[in-house]
Amino acid sequence: TEAPSQKLHILGNVLVGSDNPYLHLFSTNYGIRASVGLELMTESNSPIRFLRGSTETARISDTGFVMDM
C-alpha cells in the first residue's frame, strides 16, 4: 500500500519458516510459534487473555488455570 497506517502493513499471507520460528510481539518475551501445535509465549507471571472487542472473555493464568470471565 502507498500510505500504510502502521510500520508494517501486509496484504495477503505471511509464511515464517526456519528450524525454530517465532513471531515475537512487543519483545522477545512474547510470541507465537507453530511447533507441535500452536504455542503462545508470555513473560513469567503473565496470563494469556482472550478478548472480544475490548472485553476480556477468558484467561489462562500463569499457572495454567483457565478462567471464564
Side-chain angles (χ1 to χ4, degrees):
T1 183
E2 292 182 23
S5 60
Q6 301 296 320
K7 291 182 179 182
L8 177 62
H9 183 120
I10 299 170
L11 182 61
N13 298 329
V14 175
L15 175 63
V16 178
S18 78
D19 292 338
N20 192 17
Y22 267 101
L23 173 61
H24 291 285
L25 307 169
F26 182 66
S27 73
T28 57
N29 295 326
Y30 301 92
I32 300 170
R33 109 177 149 158
S35 180
V36 179
L38 181 66
E39 299 177 6
L40 303 175
M41 178 181 66
T42 67
E43 287 184 315
S44 59
N45 300 324
S46 294
I48 296 173
R49 299 171 53 211
F50 297 87
L51 306 175
R52 173 178 278 163
S54 61
T55 303
E56 184 174 7
T57 58
R59 174 185 295 204
I60 302 174
S61 73
D62 62 319
T63 57
F65 291 103
V66 177
M67 296 175 266
D68 187 18
M69 305 313 276

